[in-house]
Amino acid sequence: MKKTVSILFSVMIIISCNKKLDVSPSDAIPEGDVFTNSTTIEKALNGAYDIMTGDYLLNGDLQLYSELLGANGEIRWSGTYTQPREIENKKILINNSWVAETWTQAYAAINVCNNIIASIAVVDEADRDRVKGEALFIRGEMYFELVELFAKPYSAGNVDANLGVQLVTTPTQGNVTEANYVPRSTVAEIYNQIVADLNEAKNLLPDDNGIYANKFAAAAVLSRVYLQMLDYTKARDEADFVIENSSYSLTSTYAEAFDNEENSSEDIFAVQISEQDGSNDMHLFWSILDYGARDGDVDVLQKHINLYDAADERRQLFYEDGDVWRSGKWKLQFRNIPLIRLAEMYLTRAECNFRLGTSVGATPFKDIQTIRSRAGLSTTSSYITLDNIIKERHLELAHEGQRIHDIKRVKQSVDGYQYDADELVFPIPIQEINTVGADILQQNDGY
């Protein structure tokens, strides 16, 4: 880790009242008193949620990175900020400030969770499993986002040699010493930690946890993780677990899944946005001035629109703005950001069942029919091919932050780059290498 993580940890205690998942006020806590009792640990957990769903992470920037890396002529960054343009152009500077802040903030959230887990014995017994489960969920999710962006994809193979990110599970308070300077673990080691964290979280979390992470959110992220690992059996089974055991259901129409002030019926996990805590970079960059955003930083191009059938309700959610299109998913201000929707679980189950020649939960035809019928489309048995299932995933989850990860997973090319190209991997921020030392923290190839 690095010195600024220690600084950010102290800052987290001050800003814990700003958590997107809980807008009720709470007092600042001196750092030394944080992990001494249930009340203060709950506040620290609020802070971890706040960081995870805040700037440069899941309030829209991680999603933006994925879509820009996977642009492929379907979207375009037309905004004035240079950092996203570097990502779209696959020419990211080692001092890109957005990339650096993403690394910093993710490790800040991880460090808070490490402290919570290490101090879990002081939490009231009635709350202990839930609190530990939430901390493990956040840590697992943050490591997953980091390894997806800062390392070669699992599909590239060589996972026992390819470098992942720094694996830090020891809590830090106060000043960081050289003992905290650790090299990057392998891709396999990071994924093993993610799987362990999320599986334990799934076992500890309740079925219902309000707007916070529950066991089905852990299972849904696990399904994503296993899919990236090409473990189709486990990805299928986790998706099936969510579909068959949770109370989530698809919204009646596709449009109803977005621009909501409260979670929709299919939101397994979502960032909560309100006028009191309104940071939402999906709206800020994807919408336009008429709806309180910037002036349309992300253009949706005709190449993407052409992928849809004319009768597809998913196409009808886009709206015209001059000679470009805008995504209606992020049109309105102060609306929640869905991070994992039930529709994704149907798509994952369908793809995995198809690849495995199984029909756990439902046949691939039935699951794809479920998704397409909501979009106003009919489906024939001949339509169910692997390419069409993957296309349905592209259309259904368009501009929700999964694009580059799916491209890498299925070994497609994008903008002339192969799925495992150096240019599709973020650089380790130069400030990190300068702090830890290049002999310890190795830079990615190509930088």
Side-chain angles (χ1 to χ4, degrees), residues 289-315:
L289 282 170
D290 290 351
Y291 302 106
R294 286 166 54 84
D295 196 15
D297 291 321
V298 181
D299 300 338
V300 179
L301 305 179
Q302 192 65 42
K303 181 180 178 181
H304 180 77
I305 302 300
N306 290 344
L307 296 174
Y308 299 85
D309 185 284
D312 195 329
E313 292 183 13
R314 296 171 298 193
R315 184 190 190 281

Side-chain angles (χ1 to χ4, degrees), residues 362-375:
T363 64
F365 171 79
K366 184 174 181 180
D367 279 342
I368 294 301
Q369 184 183 49
T370 295
I371 295 299
R372 284 173 57 83
S373 63
R374 188 195 35 188

Side-chain angles (χ1 to χ4, degrees), residues 164-180:
V165 294
Q166 293 172 288
L167 181 58
V168 182
T169 58
T170 301
T172 298
Q173 295 186 45
N175 293 326
V176 178
T177 69
E178 291 186 4
N180 299 102

Side-chain angles (χ1 to χ4, degrees), residues 251-258 304-305 307-319 325-329 370-378 392 395-396 398:
T251 56
S252 299
T253 67
Y254 186 68
E256 288 174 342
F258 306 98
H304 180 77
I305 302 300
L307 296 174
Y308 299 85
D309 185 284
D312 195 329
E313 292 183 13
R314 296 171 298 193
R315 184 190 190 281
Q316 296 165 18
L317 193 58
F318 295 95
Y319 61 100
W325 296 81
R326 306 295 178 196
S327 173
K329 292 180 177 182
T370 295
I371 295 299
R372 284 173 57 83
S373 63
R374 188 195 35 188
L377 302 172
S378 60
E392 286 301 320
L395 301 182
E396 177 71 25

